[in-house]
Amino acid sequence: MPLGKQIEKRMKDLSLTQMKLAQKSGLTQQAISNMILEKSKPSYDAIVVLSKALQVTPLWFFEDSKLEESKPFRPGLRSNLSPEQVDVKFFPSLGHTDPDRQGKRPKKTIFVIGHYLPMKDLSHPIQAYPEGIADTFYSLIFNTLVRLQDGQLQGELAVDWKNIGKSWLFRIREGARFHNRKRVTTEDVRWSYEQYLLQNPDERWIDNVEVLDESVVAIYVKSPCRVEDLPAVFILPAGTEESPTRWVGSGPFVAVELNPGSWRLRKNPHYFRAKPFFDEVKIREYNNPGALQKALVYGDVHFAVGIYVQEENLVPQAESAIQRYHLHFMLNEPLVQNRALRKAIELGLDREALAKAAGLRNPLYSTMPFDYTLGDQHINPPRPDVETAKQLLKQVPELNGSILRVKGNPAFSHQPQLTEAIVEQLNGLGIQAEIGENPHVVLTMHNVGHLELEFRLWESGDRFNFNGYCNSRVDQLIQQYQQKSPTPTQLWELRELIHQDVPDIPLFYNERLLTHTKRLHTLENRNPSITRLNEIHKWYLEANDGDEDRR
């Protein structure tokens, strides 16, 4: 049904005349008449006020173009309109198009994201796991073939995929283009994955990548695996240079400036999923959480990463743990090869005190990822047992006259305070410890999203197993679980084996904290939370005159 007829029908259902609708929405009768007669499209601001007046969500204005994104794309799911036609028909520009606004400068909608973690060195998008806060924002510029989100696989540049023997075949989305307007090809996919393999020669799953035809690319694997086990590689045009000034993606926003302390991104009007509402996105770095909170409260930032602020006009959110912090014992060092020493440190550490020293609030006790059956919520958290720890240390003659060196992790913003607190607690147990190079103990941080990545920390020979841990039974169990998902009983056996060996000590996890203005909304009805930046094309801001210029 044409949008004008749709609006007219809804008015009839609510017994609204054009005059009453104008009074409720604040629009002019002429503007409403032109929308009904299809003489003009509703602008960004008009959609927001009309949705309230007509008692619908903004998604109601876009229903004819909504893509089914909760499952792999297949021919027939979408209308026969081209992406350009969908953009023109269903996703109007953000500027005011009402007749009574003609002659005035269109309002530019700028969305501002703030954070306080340093972004000095931009890691290349094509690598195993890009480091630092920059990776959080790469999904605004780049796309992968598929993405695992909320436990479901969603196609990005791939519209469907299937497994044949030791290969995964991906069909590339027709019509997807890079920001330079060049079509995304299977050759670009092959080149991007080859660059990834060059940087990661010991990649676990991928053997090689081959172009089968202009629409299908094959990823050959070393052993059977799930598609979600494959690395999510950002796709760049073949031959892209190393310099960030040359990076071109296919995502919802185009990189205009990528400076260490600030990014400026421009809307990609040809984005294949939908034209974004925001004309620009600015990403700003603040010196500390307090400065970021102040900017958020004063309205200089719409979306803040890493802080949880409870204020009247703000919406705080905390997601399940994605960052986990451990102490890893470097088992090639003779001093820590004695299991009694490792067990004593595990028993003696006060993790709640360490979490407090690090500015976090959630001690971690389990080796299983938080959202799995045997995560923290299913075990009784152990309390520090200093006396037992000191008794165990008597079984470690190697400690006499030795110094235990501890190394922090520069990727963790609070690492100086945390490392000092660890050394202080070790000294309190009677262990001579200090911060230094060539460490016996290393503070590590892992972005763990599912169990497969956690296995790689413990399987001998895997590049993620950097501390030299080796247990043949653990290797055997992991190999079994890679073929078939483990039962809770099997997971319990694995967890107990690792806890007995103590190759590392789980310290705590960091919730993914976000706070955004109440003016920020999403078109998506199923999940009203606003956390995933790769869904930014569905977000919009309620109108607030005067916002634009001061940003």
Side-chain angles (χ1 to χ4, degrees), residues 167-219:
S167 67
W168 277 98
L169 306 185
F170 295 88
R171 185 161 63 87
I172 306 305
R173 187 180 296 274
E174 187 177 349
R177 295 183 179 273
F178 290 113
H179 299 149
N180 58 10
R181 301 298 293 131
K182 291 185 178 179
R183 190 169 63 87
V184 178
T185 67
T186 49
E187 176 59 27
D188 297 316
V189 176
R190 184 199 64 77
W191 180 87
S192 297
Y193 271 88
E194 282 196 352
Q195 295 304 303
Y196 166 83
L197 292 174
L198 287 174
Q199 296 185 41
N200 302 276
D202 52 351
E203 154 60 25
R204 181 189 187 92
W205 295 111
I206 299 179
D207 190 10
N208 66 298
V209 182
E210 180 182 349
V211 172
L212 298 187
D213 58 39
E214 63 179 12
S215 63
V216 179
V217 64
I219 296 180

Side-chain angles (χ1 to χ4, degrees), residues 36 42 76 141 191 258 308 337 427 447:
I36 293 173
I141 305 172
W191 180 87
L258 296 179
Y308 190 92
Q337 289 175 0
N427 289 332
N447 290 322

Side-chain angles (χ1 to χ4, degrees), residues 80-270:
N80 57 5
L81 295 173
S82 69
E84 289 77 14
Q85 287 174 307
V86 171
D87 279 348
V88 171
K89 185 174 179 61
F90 300 114
F91 293 85
S93 67
L94 302 182
H96 294 271
T97 54
D98 298 338
D100 58 21
R101 296 280 304 195
Q102 290 183 2
K104 296 184 179 181
R105 180 171 63 89
K107 184 177 180 180
K108 180 185 271 189
T109 306
I110 300 174
F111 184 65
V112 184
I113 300 172
H115 68 95
Y116 63 89
L117 296 177
M119 203 159 52
K120 294 178 182 178
D121 299 316
L122 297 181
S123 55
H124 197 283
I126 300 179
Q127 58 178 318
Y129 300 96
E131 297 176 356
I133 190 68
D135 182 41
T136 303
F137 305 128
Y138 278 153
S139 60
L140 299 176
I141 305 172
F142 307 102
N143 288 119
T144 57
L145 289 178
V146 296
R147 179 179 293 274
L148 185 64
Q149 182 158 312
D150 299 325
Q152 292 186 328
L153 278 173
Q154 296 184 357
E156 287 205 332
L157 290 176
V159 294
D160 56 29
W161 48 92
K162 62 180 177 179
N163 177 231
I164 301 179
K166 284 191 175 182
S167 67
W168 277 98
L169 306 185
F170 295 88
R171 185 161 63 87
I172 306 305
R173 187 180 296 274
E174 187 177 349
R177 295 183 179 273
F178 290 113
H179 299 149
N180 58 10
R181 301 298 293 131
K182 291 185 178 179
R183 190 169 63 87
V184 178
T185 67
T186 49
E187 176 59 27
D188 297 316
V189 176
R190 184 199 64 77
W191 180 87
S192 297
Y193 271 88
E194 282 196 352
Q195 295 304 303
Y196 166 83
L197 292 174
L198 287 174
Q199 296 185 41
N200 302 276
D202 52 351
E203 154 60 25
R204 181 189 187 92
W205 295 111
I206 299 179
D207 190 10
N208 66 298
V209 182
E210 180 182 349
V211 172
L212 298 187
D213 58 39
E214 63 179 12
S215 63
V216 179
V217 64
I219 296 180
Y220 296 101
V221 295
K222 299 172 183 177
S223 59
C225 67
R226 302 165 301 175
V227 68
E228 54 263 43
D229 294 330
L230 299 175
V233 175
F234 288 121
I235 307 303
L236 276 66
T240 297
E241 299 178 19
E242 289 290 326
S243 170
T245 60
R246 304 294 183 185
W247 293 350
V248 175
S250 57
F253 290 91
V254 182
V256 178
E257 297 175 10
L258 296 179
N259 298 316
S262 66
W263 289 14
R264 185 163 69 89
L265 313 178
R266 186 180 66 243
K267 173 176 64 178
N268 174 12
H270 307 287

Side-chain angles (χ1 to χ4, degrees), residues 509-520:
Y509 66 86
N510 187 10
E511 289 174 319
R512 188 168 184 258
L513 304 179
L514 302 168
T515 306
H516 61 79
T517 173
K518 281 188 176 178
R519 291 177 50 219
L520 183 62

Side-chain angles (χ1 to χ4, degrees), residues 41-48 62 87-88 90-98 101 105-111 252-253 266-269 274-281 523 536-543 545 548:
K41 306 180 184 73
S43 68
Y44 164 82
D45 290 337
I47 287 175
V48 173
F62 300 89
D87 279 348
V88 171
F90 300 114
F91 293 85
S93 67
L94 302 182
H96 294 271
T97 54
D98 298 338
R101 296 280 304 195
R105 180 171 63 89
K107 184 177 180 180
K108 180 185 271 189
T109 306
I110 300 174
F111 184 65
F253 290 91
R266 186 180 66 243
K267 173 176 64 178
N268 174 12
K275 185 189 296 184
F277 281 117
F278 308 129
D279 290 296
E280 281 190 9
V281 170
L523 297 176
I536 196 172
H537 62 284
K538 297 179 180 178
W539 299 359
Y540 67 93
L541 283 168
E542 283 185 354
D545 290 338
E548 171 201 3

Side-chain angles (χ1 to χ4, degrees), residues 273-287:
R273 294 173 76 182
K275 185 189 296 184
F277 281 117
F278 308 129
D279 290 296
E280 281 190 9
V281 170
K282 292 183 178 180
I283 301 173
R284 294 174 178 167
E285 178 184 321
Y286 290 82
N287 292 330

Side-chain angles (χ1 to χ4, degrees), residues 351-361:
R351 283 176 256 199
E352 290 189 356
L354 292 177
K356 185 176 180 180
L360 303 175
R361 59 181 182 176

